[in-house]
């Protein structure tokens, strides 16, 4: 399904209330959250008690008649958006659907990654990303230093003496680099290493 646009009064209702009204009456939203303009919900089928994930991309526009748009899907199509709140994931009932399972695993990996970094990433720590990043001056690197100007302020990455603008870099940290260049893999780094090992074994 593509995008649907129409007039919606901004701030008149929550996303949960808005999208609940679009569901068949047999369904109810029991957990939800909006992250980076993506609405995630755990939806219960009242006839079976089965709870599945619903994902809706949302966008606001300046058009006076069609100022709001959304594109919705369920977990069985494996939406490529993995920041569903833990409350949504915890409310889902078991499934055997391969794409749904893969999507849930990616969401769990996202939270494991963020939890790991919150606990272990300290100012001055060197990190390695899953990929190299190129900059306009021709510099290319996958290794940076984490810095923060003060307690409670957002952290950022530094290369040499330059502050780097890398969008969503936390979702790409593969390892923390310790003394003598020893690496501690993040959950994402562990998955990447396992995937490479599997590909090597299959080759």
């Amino acid at each position: 399904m593509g995008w649907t646009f129409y007039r919606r009064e901004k701030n008149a209702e929550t996303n949960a209330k808005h999208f609940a009204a679009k569901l068949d009456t047999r369904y109810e939203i029991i957990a939800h959250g909006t992250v980076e303009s993506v609405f995630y919900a755990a939806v219960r089928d009242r006839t079976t008690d089965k709870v599945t994930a619903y994902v809706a991309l949302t966008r606001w526009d300046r058009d006076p008649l069609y100022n709001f748009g959304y594109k919705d899907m369920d977990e069985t199509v494996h939406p490529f958006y993995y920041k569903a709140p833990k409350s949504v994931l915890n409310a889902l009932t078991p499934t055997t659907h391969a794409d749904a399972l893969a999507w849930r695993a990616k969401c769990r990996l996202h939270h494991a990654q963020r939890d790991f970094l919150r606990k272990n990433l300290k100012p001055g720590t060197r990190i390695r990303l899953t990929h190299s990043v190129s900059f306009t001056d021709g510099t290319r690197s996958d290794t940076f230093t984490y810095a923060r100007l003060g307690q409670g302020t957002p952290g950022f990455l530094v290369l040499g003496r330059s502050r780097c603008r890398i969008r969503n870099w936390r979702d790409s940290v593969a390892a923390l680099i310790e003394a003598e260049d020893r690496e501690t893999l993040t959950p994402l780094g562990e998955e990447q290493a396992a995937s490479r090992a599997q590909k090597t074994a299959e080759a």
Side-chain angles (χ1 to χ4, degrees):
M1 181 178 176
W3 284 82
T4 301
F5 281 87
Y6 49 85
R7 175 69 187 177
R8 177 184 172 186
E9 202 64 39
K10 200 166 187 177
N11 300 322
E13 60 184 357
T14 64
N15 277 337
K17 183 176 181 180
H18 185 79
F19 286 107
K22 297 183 177 299
L23 300 177
D24 187 280
T25 55
R26 67 184 281 192
Y27 300 106
E28 65 172 335
I29 293 175
I30 61 173
H32 63 86
T34 300
V35 183
E36 297 176 357
S37 299
V38 181
F39 175 71
Y40 300 93
V43 178
R44 185 176 74 90
D45 185 332
R46 290 187 174 97
T47 63
T48 64
D49 272 341
K50 182 179 179 181
V51 182
T52 57
Y54 171 88
V55 179
L57 314 185
T58 67
R59 187 166 70 203
W60 290 93
D61 193 71
R62 294 183 178 180
D63 189 300
L65 296 179
Y66 302 96
N67 69 331
F68 178 76
Y70 77 95
K71 177 180 180 180
D72 63 346
M73 60 203 91
D74 64 54
E75 62 180 328
T76 62
V77 301
H78 193 134
F80 286 91
Y81 299 85
Y82 306 116
K83 298 182 179 181
K86 291 180 181 179
S87 60
V88 170
L89 299 174
N90 292 340
L92 304 177
T93 52
T95 181
T96 58
H97 195 287
D99 286 332
L101 289 171
W103 178 81
R104 294 182 187 188
K106 286 287 188 181
C107 291
R108 293 292 186 187
L109 176 62
H110 165 75
H111 287 294
Q113 176 82 355
R114 291 303 178 96
D115 290 345
F116 178 90
L117 293 180
R118 273 192 290 270
K119 180 180 179 181
N120 298 287
L121 184 58
K122 310 297 181 185
T125 302
R126 293 169 61 217
I127 69 165
R128 177 176 60 80
L129 302 182
T130 57
H131 60 283
S132 295
V133 179
S134 298
F135 299 95
T136 55
D137 64 356
T139 303
R140 184 178 180 85
S141 181
D142 65 353
T143 304
F144 303 84
T145 300
Y146 174 70
R148 194 169 59 199
L149 295 179
Q151 189 68 27
T153 61
F156 53 92
L157 300 184
V158 174
L159 181 61
R161 295 185 177 181
S162 300
R163 179 171 176 171
C164 304
R165 295 180 180 273
I166 305 175
R167 190 169 181 269
N168 294 328
W169 58 266
R170 287 177 177 80
D171 297 327
S172 299
V173 179
L176 306 185
I177 304 174
E178 303 172 358
E180 301 179 358
D181 290 336
R182 293 193 303 270
E183 290 191 347
T184 298
L185 295 180
T186 66
L188 179 63
E190 291 178 348
E191 185 197 52
Q192 185 182 52
S195 177
R196 287 174 176 170
Q198 181 178 357
K199 289 180 181 178
T200 299
E202 294 174 349

